[in-house]
């Protein structure tokens, strides 16, 4: 079972570019980190990683393609995803300044992260591109798909954690109410813009 090193290098580069670029998931993580802090948003990250793993599995096995082939399913999924991301953008935009936050304030947890990953249209498009565009183990299609899935998940874990940490690094700006509000609204707008772009492709 020979590994095509040229394909592997190209696959890693493509995964880094596609998975690491701004999109609903990465901007949602950065926004959650900025609004609530890295430590508080770790469950949100865990949910998103579990959702991403499920999306990778569903895409790699062809289940997503089969589901989207059913009449009426694709528009319904897109509509539900858009509504949920609109809600998440609202949560980020309306998060109060750090000085006004209380210990009991709800923070997006595991389930919101899971739903964001499962409803992320960019994620499915990226995973489908990566699975279909590269063949590293040409003699064993099953092992090739599993190998690609493992690489995607490993890189996605590192990248998503970095986005959450980067958002959390902005927390020191959140002591000032006006700056805090502007950053929150900025992340919310970017999240909505990324959703529109993902739905347009």
């Amino acid at each position: 079972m020979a590994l095509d090193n040229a394909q592997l290098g190209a696959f890693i580069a493509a995964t880094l570019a596609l998975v690491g670029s701004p999109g609903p998931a990465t901007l949602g993580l950065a926004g959650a980190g900025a609004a609530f802090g890295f430590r508080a948003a770790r469950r949100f990250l865990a949910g998103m990683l579990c959702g991403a793993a499920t999306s990778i599995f569903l895409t790699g096995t062809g289940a997503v393609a089969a589901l989207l082939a059913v009449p009426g399913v694709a528009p319904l999924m897109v509509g539900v995803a858009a509504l949920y991301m609109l809600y998440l953008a609202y949560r980020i935009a309306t998060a109060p300044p750090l000085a006004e936050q209380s210990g009991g304030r709800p923070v997006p947890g595991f389930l919101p992260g899971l739903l964001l990953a499962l409803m992320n249209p960019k994620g499915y498009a990226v995973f489908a591109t990566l699975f279909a565009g590269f063949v590293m183990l040409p003699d064993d299609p099953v092992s090739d798909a599993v190998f690609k899935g493992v690489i995607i998940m490993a890189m996605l874990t590192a990248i998503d954690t970095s986005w959450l940490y980067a958002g959390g690094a902005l927390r020191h700006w959140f002591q000032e109410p006006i700056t805090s509000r502007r950053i929150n609204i900025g992340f919310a707008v970017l999240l909505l813009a990324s959703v529109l772009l993902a739905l347009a492709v």
Side-chain angles (χ1 to χ4, degrees), residues 33-181:
F36 304 102
F38 179 86
R39 183 176 295 275
R42 285 182 301 177
R43 287 186 301 165
F44 182 67
L45 171 64
M48 191 169 293
L49 292 177
C50 287
T54 303
S55 299
I56 291 169
F57 175 79
L58 294 175
T59 304
T61 58
V64 171
L67 181 62
L68 293 178
V70 178
V73 170
L76 177 62
M77 291 180 65
V78 169
V80 171
L83 287 174
Y84 180 73
M85 291 183 192
L86 180 64
Y87 164 74
L88 182 62
Y90 170 79
R91 286 284 306 275
I92 292 172
T94 57
L98 183 61
E100 299 176 10
Q101 291 185 16
S102 63
R105 189 179 188 282
V107 178
F110 182 89
L111 183 58
L114 179 71
L115 292 175
L116 177 58
L118 290 175
M119 295 180 180
N120 179 9
K122 181 200 172 191
Y124 290 106
V126 165
F127 300 150
T129 298
L130 292 172
F131 274 105
F134 301 88
V135 178
M136 290 171 282
L137 297 169
D139 299 328
D140 190 343
V142 174
S143 295
D144 181 66
V146 171
F147 187 54
K148 285 185 283 194
V150 170
I151 293 176
I152 294 170
M153 192 63 212
M155 294 183 66
L156 187 144
T157 299
I159 290 168
D160 281 2
T161 302
S162 299
W163 273 94
L164 179 61
Y165 183 82
L170 295 174
R171 290 284 284 170
H172 67 279
W173 294 99
F174 279 58
Q175 296 289 350
E176 208 283 310
I178 295 178
T179 302
S180 173
R181 179 66 62 213

